[in-house]
Amino acid sequence: MSNLLADLPAPAEDEVFTDLLSRPGVRIERIVSHGQSTPVDAPFDQDHDEWVLLLRGSAGLWIDGDGERALRPGDHVLIPAHRVHRVTWTAADEPTVWLAVHFG
Amino acid sequence: MSNLLADLPAPAEDEVFTDLLSRPGVRIERIVSHGQSTPVDAPFDQDHDEWVLLLRGSAGLWIDGDGERALRPGDHVLIPAHRVHRVTWTAADEPTVWLAVHFG
């Protein structure tokens, strides 16, 4: 995959995760969403910091203590380890493409 | 800076480099170009791997052994340590925005 915005997967039940690069202590991943969100009763609670950048589409991100914000292309957020969070919505009418960098 | 594509710096003589996040062994940076290129007689020769992703605009990237390619938004390239490379051109009529992840 030489372009992160081309040849996007078709809408499917699940989001599509693709590893782009891994190094000791860091992993870069592309995520493609088509309307998915994180279940309210199963938020993320990760043991590592994650930095996310929205590349295309739109999404809502709720982070414990910070509340919910709408993300548009170019928006980026650092989600510290063990900060409970969830994706509240993603665009239903177009793909939403995230870049995620996982640390540690 | 909460959005990498908003409030871009005005065209200037030099490219604008902004650190976004640093961790042991990794640094994430935004670069904004306005027509700059790397001097032919002073290509980059870095002692660490660098992963670049073009977010906006367009650019030419020459990498020793791979030749030159034109980059458009979404294109990404891993430049291994000590692989001599240079940016041959960037768009003159709009900002070109890069995300760079430096390893090690």
Side-chain angles (χ1 to χ4, degrees):
Chain A
M1 183 199 322
S2 67
N3 187 287
L4 300 188
L5 303 172
D7 302 321
L8 294 175
E13 185 174 351
D14 294 323
E15 295 176 299
V16 177
F17 299 79
T18 307
D19 272 354
L20 301 173
L21 191 63
S22 283
R23 285 286 188 283
V26 60
R27 181 170 60 87
I28 303 178
E29 174 182 61
R30 186 188 74 172
I31 306 167
V32 180
S33 311
H34 284 98
Q36 292 92 352
S37 61
T38 314
V40 174
D41 59 353
F44 292 106
D45 180 359
Q46 300 178 142
D47 60 3
H48 62 271
D49 292 353
E50 177 180 359
W51 182 79
V52 294
L53 166 64
L54 200 84
L55 296 176
R56 178 185 163 173
S58 56
L61 179 65
W62 174 87
I63 302 179
D64 186 32
D66 293 342
E68 182 177 3
R69 61 180 283 197
L71 300 180
R72 61 193 173 96
D75 282 341
H76 62 105
V77 183
L78 176 66
I79 305 169
H82 295 301
R83 185 72 66 87
V84 176
H85 62 283
R86 62 188 183 86
V87 175
T88 52
W89 56 271
T90 53
D93 57 348
E94 65 167 327
T96 292
V97 182
W98 311 74
L99 186 77
V101 181
H102 301 272
F103 298 98
Chain B
M1 185 200 320
S2 68
N3 188 287
L4 301 187
L5 303 172
D7 303 321
L8 294 175
E13 185 174 350
D14 295 322
E15 296 176 300
V16 178
F17 299 79
T18 307
D19 273 355
L20 301 173
L21 192 63
S22 283
R23 286 286 188 281
V26 60
R27 180 169 60 88
I28 304 177
E29 175 182 60
R30 186 188 74 174
I31 305 166
V32 180
S33 311
H34 283 97
Q36 291 93 352
S37 61
T38 313
V40 174
D41 58 353
F44 291 105
D45 180 359
Q46 300 177 142
D47 59 3
H48 63 270
D49 292 353
E50 177 179 359
W51 182 79
V52 294
L53 166 64
L54 200 83
L55 297 176
R56 178 185 163 174
S58 57
L61 179 65
W62 174 84
I63 301 179
D64 186 32
D66 292 343
E68 183 177 4
R69 62 180 283 199
L71 300 180
R72 60 193 173 98
D75 282 342
H76 61 106
V77 183
L78 176 65
I79 305 169
H82 295 301
R83 185 72 67 85
V84 175
H85 63 282
R86 62 187 183 88
V87 176
T88 52
W89 57 271
T90 55
D93 57 349
E94 65 167 327
T96 292
V97 181
W98 312 74
L99 186 77
V101 181
H102 301 272
F103 298 98

